[in-house]
Amino acid sequence: MVRSSIAPYPAPHGKTARRLEWAFLPPHLRAWIERRCGSPVVSAISQTSGFTPGLASVLVCEDGSRHFVKAASTKAQRIFADSYREEARKLAALPPEVPAPRLLWHLDDDWVVLGIEYVAARPPHRPWQADDLDALLDALEVVADVLTPAPPELDLDTAADDFAPLLEGWPALRERRTDLGAERLAEAEALARRYAEVVGGDTVVHTDIRSDNAIIDPDGRALICDWNWPVLGAAWFDSFAALIGPRGEGIDVDAVIGRRRLLRDVDPEAFDVNLALYVGYFFTQCELPVPPTSPHIRDHQRWQGEVCWDWLAERRGWS
């Protein structure tokens, strides 16, 4: 473990989202889902981690079976329905070797509904523990192996194109965060603007690796969830992103980098560029209004930004 100047993670683990509940789905939709499950639903366990308001529940059926179901209305929750639609498309194209719960069925109508393989698993422990982090990094190495090159049917944007909007907040950030120092901010911005030099590649990159998008099965293996917005990029990108939370909670992630095959040979400057890109994104997003369906997202983003800034400052030798 290492010391960190970062405050403890501010959001309640596993309770960051206000989600649509099973009982509030239209009766005809509940009946359709029950037919797909093959048995009436007797209880629904809402999964309140994450930061989106769509239904995400484990449905327990009369026959004892369990099913993980996501749902969002194309009228009332269009953005999230679009996200679920993309997740269904991506899950359907993932090779079976990818460590991820499988898509079993889906509906794309007035509602987008996904029936996803139920796995008896738990989220990673928070604060992060070394065993869970190793399991996640093991899984991400499998993902990189299997998904390089990317299956063409995924039809992904490149990381360079997808990440371009992450630079848009820098002018406002320079004005707002004078406490960070003008020279340091200028250096960080210059690093961030080099992102396209380092993020390219032909690997499927998940782009949203954090504790609420991974589960640990009873054998200690990690599975990667929520494949909404992958891009085509560098094989090391997700493994590096996975270190942000652990870094903020005291794990010596620089030592981890030295022993992981996707990370140990990467140019250290590439990590600094990536951290600077994250700084600009998180410190910009955390100033936006708080959505009522996700009351903790801005605290989460602010904390992530502070972790990345603290790590970047240490790596750059800013005193």
Side-chain angles (χ1 to χ4, degrees):
M1 304 290 281
V2 295
R3 291 185 178 181
S4 173
S5 60
I6 304 301
Y9 185 71
H13 299 306
K15 298 179 181 179
T16 50
R18 293 175 178 167
R19 293 192 178 275
L20 180 66
E21 300 280 351
W22 167 253
F24 294 100
L25 294 184
H28 76 276
L29 184 62
R30 294 202 307 270
W32 186 90
I33 292 171
E34 287 180 319
R35 288 195 295 272
R36 294 308 307 255
C37 292
S39 179
V41 172
V42 295
S43 65
I45 306 166
S46 184
Q47 306 302 290
T48 53
S49 61
F51 299 97
T52 55
L55 176 98
S57 291
V58 175
L59 305 183
V60 182
C61 291
E62 194 174 74
D63 64 0
S65 63
R66 294 186 175 223
H67 311 261
F68 183 52
V69 174
K70 292 184 173 184
S73 166
T74 58
K75 296 179 180 178
Q77 300 175 308
R78 178 169 296 278
I79 293 174
F80 305 104
D82 289 345
S83 174
Y84 285 173
R85 182 180 294 112
E86 278 301 303
E87 183 177 5
R89 188 176 74 81
K90 276 33 179 285
L91 283 175
L94 289 182
E97 298 84 3
V98 173
R102 317 317 301 176
L103 178 70
L104 303 179
W105 46 263
H106 79 284
L107 172 70
D108 192 344
D109 198 358
D110 289 342
W111 288 76
V112 177
V113 185
L114 280 64
I116 298 173
E117 173 189 12
Y118 169 74
V119 180
R122 61 168 176 83
H125 292 297
R126 299 290 301 272
W128 274 93
Q129 297 180 8
D131 287 349
D132 284 354
L133 178 57
D134 282 338
L136 176 56
L137 293 172
D138 287 345
L140 291 173
E141 289 173 1
V142 175
V143 169
D145 290 345
V146 175
L147 296 180
T148 306
E153 57 269 30
L154 283 172
D155 189 26
L156 301 178
D157 294 333
T158 66
D161 288 342
D162 194 73
F163 296 164
L166 275 59
L167 298 174
E168 294 175 356
W170 274 100
L173 179 57
R174 289 197 309 272
E175 293 182 4
R176 188 172 59 248
R177 292 303 304 267
T178 56
D179 59 301
L180 300 177
E183 291 185 4
R184 294 174 184 174
L185 281 171
E187 184 177 343
E189 181 180 359
L191 283 168
R193 292 191 180 281
R194 293 172 48 201
Y195 80 96
E197 300 173 16
V198 304
V199 300
D202 60 350
T203 297
V204 176
V205 177
H206 182 283
T207 74
D208 201 17
I209 297 296
R210 55 179 194 255
S211 62
D212 54 282
N213 285 342
I215 53 177
I216 310 294
D217 75 10
D219 295 323
R221 296 173 298 193
L223 299 174
I224 312 300
C225 307
D226 295 335
W227 290 82
N228 305 79
W229 308 118
V231 299
L232 199 62
W236 54 265
F237 186 92
D238 283 337
S239 290
F240 187 68
L243 302 180
I244 296 173
R247 157 83 188 193
E249 293 179 339
I251 289 180
D252 183 357
V253 295
D254 293 293
V256 174
I257 288 172
R259 61 176 183 263
R260 301 305 307 203
R261 63 182 174 87
L262 293 181
L263 297 171
R264 61 191 176 212
D265 297 325
V266 175
D267 181 356
E269 188 84 349
F271 293 149
D272 291 359
V273 167
N274 214 47
L275 284 172
L277 185 68
Y278 281 135
V279 163
Y281 172 72
F282 287 126
F283 279 162
T284 298
Q285 292 293 302
C286 73
E287 297 298 331
L288 297 177
V290 178
T293 56
S294 190
H296 302 286
I297 190 170
R298 304 307 177 208
D299 290 337
H300 164 81
Q301 291 166 334
R302 186 173 291 106
W303 185 82
Q304 296 268 105
E306 294 290 352
V307 172
C308 291
W309 179 262
D310 181 77
W311 193 4
L312 179 62
E314 180 180 295
R315 291 176 60 86
R316 304 300 287 187
W318 298 336
S319 57

